[in-house]
Structures are given as structure tokens and as C-alpha cells.
Amino acid sequence: MSATTGPRSSRRPQPRPDVPGRRPAGIRMGPSVGRAAISVVLAALLLSLSLSGCGSDQPAGAATAAPSATPKIENGVQIFDVVGTASLEFSPSTLIAKPGKITVNLTVEHGSPLHNFVIPTIPTARTNYASTDTPRSVTFTVDQPGQYPFVCTIHPNMRGTLTIS
């Protein structure tokens, strides 16, 4: 017997009901329940780790930026299909054409914000804002060979080049 604590007992102290987060007296978690809970947590962790390598950082259906493209020709018009991506890139980012009439069809991939297509040095080469549900097109003529940078004015770092050769 201790002078400050009274008689020693082999019994475990009972939880106090007024302390939040403690189990009421009489409810015990046996070793098999604890092991089962640990097994479930470990299984969930392993599953999430194994699935983490199954995808990419881009949304489903995301286009990867193609480096360059040549046009398809219809009725003497050079036509480019350009995609504004969720990663704020044009795909393709380089368009290679001959002098003449050019059409750019701008679409926006699912999950991407609004985009537009503007060649600042060619006043007629600009689209309105395109969205997933609203593609845009623009037709213009370029007679002089050279490099013509294009941009999305909403995302100024989203750039590409039209090369006329």
C-alpha cells in the first residue's frame, strides 16, 4: 500500500465517461479486431499505391501537344485543326503552310478553359473564344513567307508559330 495512492490493485483503471474520445467501461477491442482494422488500412494503402501509376496528370482524353503539322487541302484552302489543351498548349504548336488562304479550326479539349487563336501581325487571323462545346474557325490569307507567332490572349504563355515557306 502506498501512502499517496492507496492499495495497489491488479485491475486496470476504468475510463471516465466524461472524457471525450474514450470508450465507455466494458467495451474492449480485442487483438483480432485491431489486426483486422490494420489489415483493411494496409490493403487500401497498397491498392491506392498500385493504381497511382495507371494514369497521367492530364485529364482523360487530353491531347498531347503535337510539335508540328502540315495542312489538309480542300478547294485550294490549307486547313489546320488545332486543339487548345487543358495544359495550356496548342496542339500542334507549329503550323507549316505555303503562301495562300489558310483556315484554322480551333477546338478545346474536355476539362480545358476557354481559348482563342490570334496572330497579332495579321489582323484578320483571330477567333472568338472557343470552349469545349463551341469550336471556332478563322480563315485568312498570308502572301509573304516568314514566321508568324500565334497566341491565346487569355493565356499569354500559350504560344505557337505559323511558318509560311
Side-chain angles (χ1 to χ4, degrees), residues 99-110:
K101 197 172 206 178
I102 298 169
T103 295
V104 173
N105 298 318
L106 177 64
T107 58
V108 175
E109 74 181 5
H110 182 74

Side-chain angles (χ1 to χ4, degrees), residues 75-156:
N75 298 321
V77 178
Q78 302 171 84
I79 301 172
F80 292 96
D81 293 321
V82 177
V83 178
T85 70
S87 58
L88 305 183
E89 297 177 302
F90 285 111
S91 180
S93 59
T94 301
L95 310 178
I96 302 169
K98 303 274 186 217
K101 197 172 206 178
I102 298 169
T103 295
V104 173
N105 298 318
L106 177 64
T107 58
V108 175
E109 74 181 5
H110 182 74
S112 183
L114 295 174
H115 295 301
N116 66 349
F117 178 94
V118 175
I119 300 177
T121 57
I122 304 173
T124 58
R126 77 180 313 122
T127 66
N128 289 328
Y129 299 123
S131 68
T132 304
D133 299 326
T134 310
R136 301 293 184 175
S137 293
V138 62
T139 300
F140 54 94
T141 301
V142 181
D143 294 323
Q144 298 297 317
Q147 304 279 320
Y148 297 86
F150 56 87
V151 65
C152 171
T153 60
I154 304 168
H155 309 103

Side-chain angles (χ1 to χ4, degrees), residues 37-61:
I38 290 171
S39 296
V40 168
V41 169
L42 286 175
L45 180 62
L46 288 173
L47 179 63
S48 68
L49 287 174
S50 67
L51 292 177
S52 67
C54 290
S56 71
D57 292 337
Q58 294 185 339

